[in-house]
Amino acid sequence: GEEVAQTPKHLVRGEGQKAKLYCAPIKGHSYVFWYQQVLKNEFKFLISFQNENVFDETGMPKERFSAKCLPNSPCSLEIQATKLEDSAVYFCASSHGTPGNIQYFGAGTRLSVL
Amino acid sequence: EDKVVQSPLSLVVHEGDTVTLNCSYEVTNFRSLLWYKQEKKAPTFLFMLTSSGIEKKSGRLSSILDKKELFSILNITATQTGDSAVYLCAVGLNRDDKIIFGKGTRLHILP
């Protein structure tokens, strides 16, 4: 597609429940990035993929968070046993890889953990 | 540690004013500097700068990069209420296509 598509727009979970977020990158883009933005503050990098391979996962919390990008499927970010502090907007972005680093963002998924 | 610092963090001006937003950085493996505008949802791309001294322009917005002093500015002339947004500066690194974001400048234009 011509834009990064994220679903759902809003997700509400009780503490301890699982949350799964999806991202379809722009067609032809080989890199996918996930970010967490808490309360309109700075973007925290979580993980990046080059095609279906994890490229950089230095921002991923060691527990509860996992992500995948499988061929012919949207990428996903899953949070097991959500906590209140996971409440944030999760943005996905995609890029060509070269030239430069222009990343194009999806509209985000707002996760509310109650 | 790589970092991107934006100033001011918040700015309120009247319609018609000109504003200058600042972004300084300290990173290893610099590749590019990017500006984004974030209104309600997704950040939208404004400019990518890779070379010093070359101004990029789009309508009332312009930006320039100084790779020696490690900073960039974003200028908006004749501001309009629709310019109200958070402006994000990000630095792209040569490794992994990663970008490091600043905290943003929240700009509010009063009618």
Side-chain angles (χ1 to χ4, degrees):
Chain A
E2 292 292 321
E3 58 181 31
V4 177
Q6 287 190 249
T7 55
K9 286 192 170 64
H10 194 183
L11 189 57
V12 181
R13 287 289 178 265
E15 222 177 347
Q17 291 186 313
K18 183 173 78 175
K20 197 162 184 179
L21 292 60
Y22 296 92
C23 168
I26 292 171
K27 196 174 176 182
H29 282 190
S30 52
Y31 285 85
V32 170
F33 304 81
W34 284 99
Y35 296 91
Q36 181 195 57
Q37 189 181 38
V38 177
L39 292 175
K40 293 267 184 182
N41 286 330
E42 62 188 301
F43 280 72
K44 181 190 171 201
F45 168 78
L46 294 175
I47 190 169
S48 63
F49 289 84
Q50 184 184 23
N51 299 311
E52 61 264 29
N53 304 307
V54 173
F55 213 63
D56 181 349
E57 57 184 345
T58 51
M60 281 288 264
K62 296 273 187 273
E63 298 170 353
R64 304 187 298 109
F65 282 64
S66 62
K68 287 181 194 172
C69 277
L70 299 174
N72 304 313
S73 296
C75 295
S76 63
L77 176 69
E78 192 167 318
I79 309 173
Q80 304 286 341
T82 51
K83 297 184 178 180
L84 295 176
E85 63 256 32
D86 298 332
S87 295
V89 180
Y90 291 84
F91 285 100
C92 173
S94 70
S95 71
H96 268 297
T98 54
N101 302 71
I102 303 172
Q103 294 181 14
Y104 296 91
F105 284 78
T109 292
R110 180 175 297 280
L111 174 64
S112 300
V113 181
L114 307 176
Chain B
E1 187 187 337
D2 296 328
K3 62 180 180 182
V4 178
V5 178
Q6 291 187 247
S7 63
L9 289 180
S10 177
L11 187 56
V12 181
V13 299
H14 286 96
E15 218 172 3
D17 288 350
T18 292
V19 296
T20 298
L21 310 184
N22 303 294
C23 175
S24 64
Y25 61 92
E26 282 180 41
V27 302
T28 53
N29 292 309
F30 174 90
R31 186 180 191 180
S32 60
L33 188 138
L34 304 112
W35 285 97
Y36 287 87
K37 177 182 181 183
Q38 186 180 21
E39 294 175 89
K40 293 204 162 89
K41 293 211 172 166
T44 51
F45 170 74
L46 295 174
F47 296 113
M48 182 180 75
L49 303 137
T50 55
S51 301
S52 274
I54 299 173
E55 187 183 49
K56 295 260 178 129
K57 262 183 95 71
S58 175
R60 295 175 295 101
L61 276 66
S62 64
S63 183
I64 198 158
L65 173 67
D66 185 327
K67 286 168 79 172
K68 187 179 172 193
E69 300 298 329
L70 308 181
F71 78 90
S72 173
I73 57 171
L74 176 69
N75 274 325
I76 310 175
T77 58
T79 51
Q80 301 170 357
T81 53
D83 295 327
S84 295
V86 175
Y87 289 83
L88 295 161
C89 173
V91 171
L93 307 180
N94 267 318
R95 62 173 198 277
D96 307 339
D97 241 41
K98 193 169 183 172
I99 58 178
I100 310 289
F101 280 93
K103 292 188 177 181
T105 293
R106 188 173 295 276
L107 177 64
H108 186 62
I109 310 296
L110 298 170

